[in-house]
Amino acid sequence: MLFRSPCQTSGNLKFQTGVGNGGNVSLKGTLYVAGDFTMGKKLNLYLNGNTIYAEGFIKFEAVPGQPGDAVNIYGPGCIIAEGDVDFNPKPGTDESFIFVMSVGGEINAKPMGDFYGAFAGNTEVDLLPNVSLTWIEYPWMRTMTSTSTSPMVDS
């Protein structure tokens, strides 16, 4: 399914597979959901540099630790919800940056593979067996000047 956008719903939106496996959702502009947004199991989501914004929650259906049931997600792009974000997709192989944000809720992150991107908001990351979290410091971060006492910012 290809969405030419901007596209707006007047309520909840859920993509799910029919009989068999798979299906593709490819964005060609912003997708605005005036409700909750759910991606069903075994789908491919191509953000193509676009944004999904939901007034409610955003959920990626999958059983953590079972990548065969996961939503495969390909960036770059943004995923923003006013409510909670249940983010447990299998990131694609293209290493494109994906920004995930919860405006007023929480992010429960359980990516099933190497995730390249950022989380903004109240975030909890569950590391599954054989999964690690790596902080990558970029050169521009070392040149920042700040009065912050944060250990992640040099002053």
Side-chain angles (χ1 to χ4, degrees), residues 7 11 18 23 34 45 47 67 76-77 84 92 97 105 109-110 124 127 133 145 154:
C7 180
L45 173 60
L47 294 170
D84 294 342
F97 191 89
K110 295 179 185 177
E124 180 177 316
L127 295 179
L133 180 65
T145 57
D154 290 336

Side-chain angles (χ1 to χ4, degrees), residues 96-116:
S96 294
F97 191 89
I98 299 172
F99 177 76
V100 181
M101 179 179 181
S102 173
V103 176
E106 297 180 350
I107 299 171
N108 182 14
K110 295 179 185 177
M112 291 186 247
D114 294 337
F115 171 74
Y116 177 64

Side-chain angles (χ1 to χ4, degrees), residues 3 6 10 29 39 48 61 65 73 88 101 121 131-132 134 142 151 154:
F3 271 95
S10 60
M39 285 292 294
N48 298 317
E61 292 183 339
I73 188 168
N88 55 2
M101 179 179 181
V131 174
S132 62
T134 304
R142 288 188 215 123
D154 290 336

